Amino acid sequence: MAAKGDPIVIKKYANRRLYNTGTSTYVTLEDLAEMVKRGEEFTVQDAKSGDDITHPVLTQIIFELENKDGQNMLPIPFLRQLISFYGDQMQTVVPSFLEQSMVAFAKEQERFRDQMKSAIGKSPIEVMKIAPPIKALEEQTRRNVEMFQNAMRMFMPFPPGGVAAAPAPDPETVTRDPGDKPDDLQELKEQIAAMQRKIESLG
Protein backbone atom coordinates (compact mmCIF):
# COMPACT_ATOMS: atom_id res chain seq x y z
CA MET A 1 0.00 0.00 0.00
CA ALA A 2 1.25 3.45 -0.89
CA ALA A 3 1.56 6.03 1.87
CA LYS A 4 -0.92 8.88 1.83
CA GLY A 5 0.12 11.37 -0.83
CA ASP A 6 2.42 8.90 -2.60
CA PRO A 7 1.65 7.71 -6.14
CA ILE A 8 -0.37 4.51 -6.39
CA VAL A 9 1.73 1.54 -7.48
CA ILE A 10 0.44 -0.46 -10.43
CA LYS A 11 2.17 -3.79 -10.95
CA LYS A 12 2.37 -5.33 -14.39
CA TYR A 13 2.74 -9.10 -14.59
CA ALA A 14 4.17 -11.31 -17.31
CA ASN A 15 0.65 -12.13 -18.55
CA ARG A 16 0.23 -8.36 -19.16
CA ARG A 17 -2.31 -8.03 -16.36
CA LEU A 18 -2.17 -4.83 -14.35
CA TYR A 19 -2.74 -4.88 -10.59
CA ASN A 20 -3.69 -1.77 -8.62
CA THR A 21 -2.07 -2.16 -5.20
CA GLY A 22 -4.15 0.74 -3.87
CA THR A 23 -7.49 -0.97 -4.48
CA SER A 24 -6.19 -4.56 -4.60
CA THR A 25 -7.90 -5.11 -7.93
CA TYR A 26 -6.87 -5.87 -11.48
CA VAL A 27 -7.25 -2.95 -13.87
CA THR A 28 -7.05 -2.27 -17.59
CA LEU A 29 -5.35 0.40 -19.68
CA GLU A 30 -8.73 2.14 -19.90
CA ASP A 31 -8.89 2.23 -16.11
CA LEU A 32 -5.44 3.83 -15.99
CA ALA A 33 -6.54 6.39 -18.58
CA GLU A 34 -9.49 7.32 -16.34
CA MET A 35 -7.13 7.63 -13.37
CA VAL A 36 -5.02 10.09 -15.36
CA LYS A 37 -8.12 12.13 -16.24
CA ARG A 38 -9.08 12.24 -12.56
CA GLY A 39 -5.62 13.51 -11.68
CA GLU A 40 -4.63 10.38 -9.73
CA GLU A 41 -0.86 9.90 -9.57
CA PHE A 42 0.47 6.41 -10.17
CA THR A 43 3.59 4.57 -11.23
CA VAL A 44 3.75 1.27 -13.07
CA GLN A 45 6.30 -1.32 -12.01
CA ASP A 46 7.35 -4.60 -13.53
CA ALA A 47 6.08 -7.14 -11.01
CA LYS A 48 9.15 -9.36 -11.41
CA SER A 49 12.06 -6.93 -11.69
CA GLY A 50 10.55 -3.90 -9.96
CA ASP A 51 11.63 -1.65 -12.83
CA ASP A 52 9.65 1.52 -13.42
CA ILE A 53 7.78 1.06 -16.70
CA THR A 54 5.39 4.03 -16.35
CA HIS A 55 6.62 5.70 -19.54
CA PRO A 56 6.02 2.78 -21.93
CA VAL A 57 2.64 2.04 -20.33
CA LEU A 58 1.47 5.66 -20.72
CA THR A 59 2.73 5.59 -24.30
CA GLN A 60 0.71 2.41 -24.86
CA ILE A 61 -2.39 4.14 -23.48
CA ILE A 62 -1.94 6.99 -25.97
CA PHE A 63 -1.50 4.43 -28.77
CA GLU A 64 -4.74 2.70 -27.77
CA LEU A 65 -6.66 5.99 -27.56
CA GLU A 66 -5.29 7.21 -30.90
CA ASN A 67 -6.56 4.05 -32.58
CA LYS A 68 -10.13 4.56 -31.41
CA ASP A 69 -12.46 6.00 -34.04
CA GLY A 70 -12.88 9.75 -33.68
CA GLN A 71 -10.46 10.10 -30.77
CA ASN A 72 -7.12 10.69 -32.45
CA MET A 73 -5.67 14.08 -31.41
CA LEU A 74 -2.15 13.95 -32.81
CA PRO A 75 -2.04 15.30 -36.39
CA ILE A 76 0.20 13.58 -38.91
CA PRO A 77 2.52 16.61 -39.42
CA PHE A 78 3.11 16.74 -35.66
CA LEU A 79 3.90 13.01 -35.54
CA ARG A 80 6.32 13.32 -38.47
CA GLN A 81 8.07 16.28 -36.83
CA LEU A 82 8.26 14.48 -33.49
CA ILE A 83 9.76 11.36 -35.09
CA SER A 84 12.35 13.48 -36.90
CA PHE A 85 13.64 14.81 -33.57
CA TYR A 86 14.60 11.33 -32.29
CA GLY A 87 18.37 10.97 -32.43
CA ASP A 88 18.72 14.66 -33.31
CA GLN A 89 20.52 17.18 -31.11
CA MET A 90 17.19 18.93 -30.57
CA GLN A 91 15.91 15.82 -28.79
CA THR A 92 17.13 17.14 -25.42
CA VAL A 93 15.13 20.39 -25.85
CA VAL A 94 11.85 18.91 -27.11
CA PRO A 95 10.66 17.19 -23.86
CA SER A 96 10.97 20.38 -21.82
CA PHE A 97 9.20 22.45 -24.47
CA LEU A 98 6.34 19.98 -24.83
CA GLU A 99 5.92 19.76 -21.04
CA GLN A 100 5.83 23.56 -20.63
CA SER A 101 3.43 23.90 -23.56
CA MET A 102 1.01 21.35 -22.11
CA VAL A 103 1.15 22.99 -18.67
CA ALA A 104 0.38 26.37 -20.23
CA PHE A 105 -2.43 24.88 -22.31
CA ALA A 106 -3.94 23.14 -19.25
CA LYS A 107 -3.93 26.43 -17.31
CA GLU A 108 -5.62 28.20 -20.23
CA GLN A 109 -8.17 25.41 -20.49
CA GLU A 110 -8.99 25.69 -16.77
CA ARG A 111 -9.36 29.47 -17.07
CA PHE A 112 -11.65 29.01 -20.06
CA ARG A 113 -13.82 26.52 -18.13
CA ASP A 114 -14.08 28.88 -15.16
CA GLN A 115 -15.21 31.65 -17.50
CA MET A 116 -17.83 29.41 -19.07
CA LYS A 117 -19.13 28.39 -15.62
CA SER A 118 -19.47 32.03 -14.64
CA ALA A 119 -21.42 32.63 -17.84
CA ILE A 120 -24.23 30.20 -16.90
CA GLY A 121 -27.51 32.08 -16.96
CA LYS A 122 -26.15 34.93 -19.05
CA SER A 123 -27.26 35.80 -22.57
CA PRO A 124 -25.31 34.46 -25.60
CA ILE A 125 -23.92 37.92 -26.25
CA GLU A 126 -22.62 38.18 -22.67
CA VAL A 127 -21.09 34.71 -22.94
CA MET A 128 -19.19 35.68 -26.07
CA LYS A 129 -17.90 38.80 -24.32
CA ILE A 130 -16.61 36.72 -21.42
CA ALA A 131 -14.89 33.95 -23.34
CA PRO A 132 -14.87 34.15 -27.14
CA PRO A 133 -13.61 30.69 -28.24
CA ILE A 134 -11.73 31.79 -31.37
CA LYS A 135 -9.89 34.60 -29.58
CA ALA A 136 -8.97 32.25 -26.75
CA LEU A 137 -7.44 29.75 -29.16
CA GLU A 138 -5.58 32.49 -31.04
CA GLU A 139 -4.17 33.85 -27.79
CA GLN A 140 -3.03 30.39 -26.67
CA THR A 141 -1.31 29.80 -30.00
CA ARG A 142 0.50 33.13 -29.70
CA ARG A 143 1.64 32.27 -26.18
CA ASN A 144 2.94 28.89 -27.30
CA VAL A 145 4.94 30.50 -30.10
CA GLU A 146 6.41 33.05 -27.68
CA MET A 147 7.28 30.29 -25.20
CA PHE A 148 9.06 28.30 -27.89
CA GLN A 149 10.94 31.38 -29.07
CA ASN A 150 12.08 32.13 -25.51
CA ALA A 151 13.26 28.55 -25.09
CA MET A 152 15.20 28.77 -28.34
CA ARG A 153 16.83 32.08 -27.33
CA MET A 154 18.47 30.32 -24.38
CA PHE A 155 20.70 28.57 -26.89
CA MET A 156 21.44 31.65 -29.00
CA PRO A 157 24.87 33.35 -28.64
CA PHE A 158 23.26 36.80 -28.00
CA PRO A 159 19.73 37.82 -26.99
CA PRO A 160 17.63 39.90 -29.39
CA GLY A 161 18.66 43.57 -29.17
CA GLY A 162 21.93 42.67 -27.47
CA VAL A 163 25.45 42.63 -28.84
CA ALA A 164 25.39 42.54 -32.60
CA ALA A 165 26.23 39.20 -34.04
CA ALA A 166 26.34 37.76 -37.50
CA PRO A 167 23.13 35.90 -38.33
CA ALA A 168 23.42 32.17 -37.82
CA PRO A 169 23.65 30.36 -41.17
CA ASP A 170 20.88 28.03 -42.23
CA PRO A 171 22.08 24.45 -41.60
CA GLU A 172 20.50 23.41 -44.90
CA THR A 173 22.68 25.81 -46.91
CA VAL A 174 25.85 26.11 -44.83
CA THR A 175 28.92 24.60 -46.48
CA ARG A 176 31.96 23.19 -44.73
CA ASP A 177 35.33 21.97 -45.83
CA PRO A 178 35.14 18.16 -46.03
CA GLY A 179 38.30 18.00 -43.95
CA ASP A 180 36.84 20.09 -41.13
CA LYS A 181 35.22 18.41 -38.14
CA PRO A 182 31.79 20.07 -37.47
CA ASP A 183 31.45 21.68 -34.09
CA ASP A 184 28.48 20.08 -32.31
CA LEU A 185 27.54 23.18 -30.33
CA GLN A 186 27.70 25.46 -33.36
CA GLU A 187 25.65 23.01 -35.39
CA LEU A 188 23.03 22.93 -32.64
CA LYS A 189 22.89 26.74 -32.59
CA GLU A 190 22.46 26.79 -36.35
CA GLN A 191 19.59 24.32 -36.20
CA ILE A 192 17.88 26.27 -33.43
CA ALA A 193 18.31 29.54 -35.33
CA ALA A 194 16.73 28.02 -38.44
CA MET A 195 13.84 26.64 -36.41
CA GLN A 196 13.32 29.98 -34.67
CA ARG A 197 13.08 31.75 -38.04
CA LYS A 198 10.44 29.26 -39.16
CA ILE A 199 8.47 29.70 -35.92
CA GLU A 200 8.64 33.50 -36.21
CA SER A 201 7.34 33.31 -39.79
CA LEU A 202 4.40 31.22 -38.56
CA GLY A 203 3.75 33.61 -35.70
Side-chain angles (χ1 to χ4, degrees):
M1 294 290 292
K4 186 177 181 179
D6 290 343
I8 299 171
V9 176
I10 308 294
K11 291 186 177 293
K12 185 175 183 180
Y13 291 89
N15 58 4
R16 297 185 179 181
R17 298 194 71 182
L18 299 163
Y19 185 77
N20 186 330
T21 61
T23 59
S24 299
T25 56
Y26 285 100
V27 293
T28 64
L29 290 177
E30 290 186 357
D31 293 327
L32 296 186
E34 290 301 319
M35 291 175 66
V36 171
K37 294 177 182 179
R38 293 195 299 266
E40 298 180 25
E41 293 287 338
F42 63 84
T43 61
V44 186
Q45 297 179 359
D46 184 285
K48 184 176 181 180
S49 65
D51 293 340
D52 189 323
I53 55 174
T54 306
H55 186 279
V57 170
L58 292 178
T59 304
Q60 186 178 358
I61 291 175
I62 293 176
F63 176 80
E64 296 289 340
L65 292 175
E66 283 289 312
N67 278 278
K68 286 187 176 181
D69 292 337
Q71 284 204 183
N72 53 326
M73 292 193 304
L74 304 178
I76 291 179
F78 172 80
L79 293 173
R80 292 183 187 278
Q81 187 67 64
L82 191 61
I83 292 172
S84 70
F85 282 135
Y86 282 95
D88 188 87
Q89 291 173 324
M90 286 296 297
Q91 182 175 345
T92 58
V93 181
V94 172
S96 178
F97 168 68
L98 292 179
E99 182 178 0
Q100 293 180 42
S101 295
M102 291 304 296
V103 169
F105 183 81
K107 289 181 179 179
E108 187 67 23
Q109 181 187 44
E110 188 63 29
R111 184 180 71 85
F112 185 80
R113 286 177 176 174
D114 290 341
Q115 289 178 332
M116 292 304 295
K117 288 180 181 178
S118 68
I120 294 178
K122 297 181 182 294
S123 67
I125 295 178
E126 290 174 317
V127 171
M128 292 302 294
K129 287 181 179 179
I130 293 176
I134 296 179
K135 291 295 183 182
L137 290 175
E138 289 178 349
E139 178 65 15
Q140 182 58 40
T141 300
R142 183 187 65 80
R143 290 179 182 177
N144 283 347
V145 171
E146 289 181 353
M147 183 184 301
F148 186 73
Q149 290 174 340
N150 290 334
M152 293 302 97
R153 289 189 183 103
M154 293 175 61
F155 295 87
M156 298 297 289
F158 297 103
V163 180
D170 191 322
E172 295 180 358
T173 59
V174 66
T175 57
R176 294 188 178 90
D177 189 310
D180 293 340
K181 181 179 179 180
D183 183 84
D184 290 341
L185 180 58
Q186 182 61 32
E187 185 175 348
L188 175 59
K189 291 178 180 178
E190 293 169 359
Q191 291 180 356
I192 293 174
M195 179 171 294
Q196 184 179 7
R197 289 195 295 272
K198 293 179 181 179
I199 291 296
E200 289 175 344
S201 65
L202 293 175

